[in-house]
Amino acid sequence: MSVVFDILASAGLWAAILRIATPLIFGTLGALLCERAGVLNLGIEGIMTFGAMIGWLAVFHGADLWTGVLVAAIAGGLFGVLHSLLTVTLGLSQHVSGLGVTLFASSFSYYVFRLIVPVAGTPPTITPFQPIDIPVLSSLPFLGPALFTQTAPTYLAIVIAGLMAYIVFRTPIGLAIRMTGENPHAAEAQGVNPVKVRYGAVIVGSALMAVGGAFLTLSAFNSFFPTMVQGRGWIAIALVVFASWRPGRALFGALLFAFFDAFQLRLQTVVSGVPYQIFLMTPYILSIAALAIMARRARVPQALMQPYRRGER
C-alpha cells in the first residue's frame, strides 16, 4: 500500500499523465467532432501516423516546430477531405472508408519517410518542444513540476477542449453540427446545409487527429518510427463513447486512460515477480471496464453512420 501511495504522491506521475493524455485529447476531440456531425472516422489511426511523420519531416528539413504542427494539421485536413468525399458525397460505408484511410495513410507514411530519409542505424532526430517555465506557477511545490512544466502543445490541447465544448453547445455553428448529427433533414429544413457541415466537421476533426500524431514526434519524442501511434487512434474512438460525445468528458477520459498507463509504468519498476505483460494490459482492461459502464448511458447521435441524401428520408 505504501508503494501505491508513494507513486501517487510523485509529481512525476502527474506530469506524465498530462504528456500521455495530450495525443489522446487531440485524437478524441477530432473523432468527437466528426461523430457529432454524423460521420464515423475510423481513419484516425492512419491520420495520426501521417501527422506524426509529416510534421516531423517538415521540422527535419528546416521548418520551425509550430510550422510542423501546421503542416500536420493541413495533411490531416486533406485526409478528411478524402474521407468526406467517400462517405458524404458518395455515401459509401463509413466503416470501410475509414479503415481504407487508415491503411493508406499508415502505408503512405512509411513510404514517404523511407523515400526522403536515408536508412541509417540511428534514426535522425530533431530538437522538440521544450517544457515551458511559467513564472511563479512552475516553482510551486508539487503542483509546479506536476502541472506547470509541460510543453506548449499540451496546454493547447486543454484550451481546444474547452473551446470545443463552448462551440458545440453555445454557438450556432455547434447547433448546426449537432442538428446534422441527429437529423440532417430537419437541419436542412432550418436552412443548414448538412453536406457542408459534415465536410467541415470531418476536415477540422481530421486536422486535430493529425496534430495529436504530430505531438508524438515534435514534443513527446524527437524522431519518427512507423508504429509509434500504437493504437492511440482506436483508444480515442472508444473514449468518444466513454465521453458520451461531450468534449469535457472526453478530456476527463483521456486523462483517466493516461493515469492508468502512467501508473502501470511506475508500478513495473517497484513490483517484481509479475510478468510485465500484466502491467501493460492493465490500462486497457480498466478502460474497457469504464467504457462498458459509461456506454450504457451514452446517447449516440441518431444520424451517425447514416448517409445523407437530399430529399430522401
Side-chain angles (χ1 to χ4, degrees), residues 229-248:
V229 174
Q230 293 183 327
R232 288 178 175 88
W234 308 124
I235 292 296
I237 293 292
L239 288 176
V240 173
V241 181
F242 172 85
S244 299
W245 290 268
R246 292 179 174 271

Side-chain angles (χ1 to χ4, degrees), residues 92 114 120 130 142 187 243 305 308 310:
L92 301 181
R114 281 304 175 206
Q130 299 300 309
F142 186 80
M305 296 184 290
Y308 167 74
R310 178 171 293 181

Side-chain angles (χ1 to χ4, degrees), residues 174-267:
L175 178 60
I177 292 171
R178 287 184 287 123
M179 287 180 64
T180 301
E182 294 291 341
N183 190 331
H185 298 286
E188 183 184 25
Q190 297 298 318
V192 174
N193 188 326
V195 173
K196 290 183 178 179
V197 171
R198 286 188 169 183
Y199 260 87
V202 174
I203 291 170
V204 174
S206 298
L208 288 174
M209 296 172 187
V211 171
F215 173 84
L216 297 173
T217 49
L218 302 183
S219 184
F221 306 103
N222 59 2
S223 60
F224 170 78
F225 51 94
T227 59
M228 69 187 315
V229 174
Q230 293 183 327
R232 288 178 175 88
W234 308 124
I235 292 296
I237 293 292
L239 288 176
V240 173
V241 181
F242 172 85
S244 299
W245 290 268
R246 292 179 174 271
R249 293 182 184 178
L251 174 62
F252 172 74
L255 291 170
L256 182 63
F257 180 85
F259 168 78
F260 293 151
D261 199 11
F263 185 77
Q264 66 86 13
L265 286 172
R266 281 155 179 76
L267 203 60

